[in-house]
Amino acid sequence: MRIPVFVSAPSPDNLNPQQEQSAAIIQKLVSRYKLEWRALGRSDYPNDLPLKEFLRMVRHCSGGIILGFEQFRATQGEFKPGSANAKPATSAVSFPTPWNQLEAGILFSSGVPMMIFREAGLVGGVFDIGTSEVFIHQMPSKSMNAQALDDLDSVFQNWVARVRTKYYGD
């Protein structure tokens, strides 16, 4: 039997080819360790409101993975406009789907072990270093060397051990 883990990621039709390759690397690891990838719009299709369906799913998952892919890029703008801390964006800023933030918060509050991955340049909320005790990993890519993939596998094994402990109640 596979242990269900919730994966927060945009639908495949909202990913570019490189992002889909990164998701495939994570999906291979999920399969290798006999976990079940659960996600709205991928494995599960809601009959109810998406947030309500997500809450149902989380009750049955023993781990969570957040895949922070760029879903919006601002090439100009201002942070905290009108405030004493206002400052212009000096370069392009990338943002994930807002669902990553919402799902990460709910997964965190449910106490399941989490892994968080982000594409380079992604900012805000759960993707800011130091916002939680969860380490923020760089998104894997097809161009990673063998050592980097082996390192990722080791980190994944550690997370899987915590997922199994959560599932079996040890």
Side-chain angles (χ1 to χ4, degrees), residues 41-170:
R42 282 190 186 230
S43 65
D44 294 71
Y45 298 89
N47 292 325
D48 213 334
L49 299 171
L51 184 56
K52 205 172 186 180
E53 192 68 27
F54 167 66
L55 290 169
R56 278 191 200 113
M57 288 174 66
V58 168
R59 285 194 294 264
H60 302 286
C61 289
S62 295
I65 300 173
I66 309 297
L67 298 181
F69 290 114
E70 178 186 59
Q71 293 292 287
F72 181 82
R73 182 181 307 150
T75 55
Q76 62 182 22
E78 183 178 19
F79 292 98
K80 302 175 182 119
S83 77
N85 296 317
K87 65 178 183 176
T90 56
S91 61
V93 181
S94 298
F95 298 97
T97 172
W99 281 93
N100 281 153
Q101 306 290 354
L102 182 63
E103 291 167 346
I106 292 170
L107 287 165
F108 181 81
S109 69
S110 72
V112 299
M114 287 192 345
M115 285 193 78
I116 299 175
F117 294 90
R118 72 171 178 180
E119 282 189 306
L122 203 68
V123 297
V126 71
F127 300 105
D128 288 341
I129 294 174
T131 57
S132 76
E133 77 267 5
V134 179
F135 186 81
I136 312 299
H137 300 277
Q138 284 301 111
M139 190 66 69
S141 70
K142 188 177 175 184
S143 63
M144 289 174 77
N145 64 37
Q147 181 61 51
L149 286 171
D150 191 49
D151 292 345
L152 174 61
D153 189 68
S154 294
V155 168
F156 210 84
Q157 284 179 41
N158 185 349
W159 173 77
V160 169
R162 291 184 289 127
V163 168
R164 288 188 173 136
T165 297
K166 174 79 173 167
Y167 184 77
Y168 291 110
D170 294 338

Side-chain angles (χ1 to χ4, degrees), residues 1-23:
M1 184 167 91
R2 294 186 177 270
I3 299 171
V5 294
F6 184 84
V7 181
S8 175
S11 302
D13 56 337
N14 291 324
L15 297 176
N16 66 41
Q18 293 79 20
Q19 291 170 331
E20 190 57 39
Q21 289 171 351
S22 293

